[in-house]
Amino acid sequence: QLQLRESGPGLLKPSETLSLNCTVSGGSIRSGGYYWGWIRQPPGRGLEWIGNINYSGHTYYNPSLESRFTISADTSRNQFSLNLKSVTAADTAVYYCTRVAGSWRTHVDYWGQGTLVTVSS
Amino acid sequence: QSALTQPPSASGSPGRSVTISCTGTSSDVGGYNYVSWYQQHPGKAPKLLIYEVNKRPSGVPDRFSGSKSGNTASLTVSGLQAEDEADYYCSSYAGNNSFVFGTGTKVTVL
């Protein structure tokens, strides 16, 4: 059974850089046919797609978001990561790592449990 | 890339049906047959209910069904049960390997 688990700091100060890792078990991020991505959800609000990375390391980001996000992958550790520079209170959210499936990689079939990131001075 | 529009809330009595709409544009919902729906209980990660407009993953009851007409997709939950009380989100492929989510609908079972 595929499992995804997020890890990273729960609390940051404004202007710091957020680094989150997603460890995948029960499957390989190198397997073709899937993308791996990040979605966030501010407290009490809706879901926001951040971006995806494919098996060859190509990345795709939400064009509506600023270019502060970077997604990368470490296939040797079967992990992928999210970096967010210069965080503000508006970046406070639950961050989910996901597997994206479908012939055009159009839906999320596996989600991590989510990790709450709070930005506060 | 604007969020898809969903009604904030919907409700129904046990055993009845509720339908949730998801309105986008010709650049997302109307342009592709790649609408998906997710159910989210409080404090939990979302769960995939429907993909590619009307396909159900293994294990999802056939009480959940999806459809699309033009720029609007719909999710119908038939035979409402107490455990269906949750938030529901639609999502659509929006071209260039991008996604957009709906604003979310809170379903209450009366």
Side-chain angles (χ1 to χ4, degrees):
Chain A
Q1 175 75 351
L2 188 76
Q3 291 188 327
L4 294 81
R5 182 175 294 273
E6 305 89 351
S7 59
L11 180 63
L12 286 92
K13 291 181 168 53
S15 80
E16 291 185 332
T17 295
L18 169 65
S19 293
L20 294 175
N21 287 322
C22 181
T23 300
V24 178
S25 58
S28 172
I29 66 171
R30 283 176 290 185
S31 59
Y34 302 105
Y35 289 178
W36 307 88
W38 293 92
I39 290 167
R40 69 179 180 179
Q41 184 173 35
R45 298 180 61 185
L47 300 168
E48 181 174 50
W49 175 66
I50 297 172
N52 296 332
I53 187 167
N54 70 9
Y55 45 86
S56 59
H58 203 93
T59 51
Y60 311 94
Y61 297 102
N62 185 334
S64 299
L65 295 177
E66 304 168 53
S67 57
R68 295 183 294 127
F69 294 93
T70 302
I71 297 174
S72 59
D74 184 342
T75 56
S76 66
R77 295 189 175 190
N78 216 33
Q79 291 179 340
F80 61 100
S81 302
L82 175 71
N83 265 29
L84 175 58
K85 299 178 183 177
S86 303
V87 298
T88 70
D91 296 313
T92 294
V94 174
Y95 286 76
Y96 295 99
C97 62
T98 66
R99 188 180 82 167
V100 185
S103 54
W104 282 27
R105 319 299 183 268
T106 54
H107 58 272
V108 174
D109 61 350
Y110 282 91
W111 299 70
Q113 64 187 14
T115 186
L116 175 62
V117 174
T118 302
V119 179
S120 174
S121 56
Chain B
Q1 196 183 58
S2 300
L4 308 176
T5 301
Q6 297 180 234
S9 63
S11 62
S13 301
R16 303 302 292 266
S17 297
V18 64
T19 297
I20 304 166
S21 61
C22 169
T23 301
T25 70
S26 58
S27 296
D28 38 61
V29 175
Y32 308 93
N33 287 323
Y34 293 122
V35 175
S36 50
W37 289 90
Y38 303 88
Q39 177 191 60
Q40 186 180 34
H41 288 108
K44 300 294 187 183
K47 170 190 171 183
L48 178 66
L49 289 178
I50 298 287
Y51 66 99
E52 293 175 11
V53 177
N54 56 15
K55 298 178 181 177
R56 280 187 309 276
S58 173
V60 173
D62 59 6
R63 303 187 294 105
F64 295 92
S65 61
S67 63
K68 192 188 88 165
S69 177
N71 295 338
T72 299
S74 298
L75 173 73
T76 297
V77 185
S78 306
L80 270 172
Q81 299 181 3
E83 61 260 34
D84 299 333
E85 187 160 294
D87 294 327
Y88 291 80
Y89 293 91
C90 62
S91 175
S92 176
Y93 182 71
N96 295 318
N97 285 289
S98 71
F99 288 86
V100 61
F101 279 100
T103 49
T105 299
K106 182 177 180 61
V107 169
T108 301
V109 181
L110 301 171

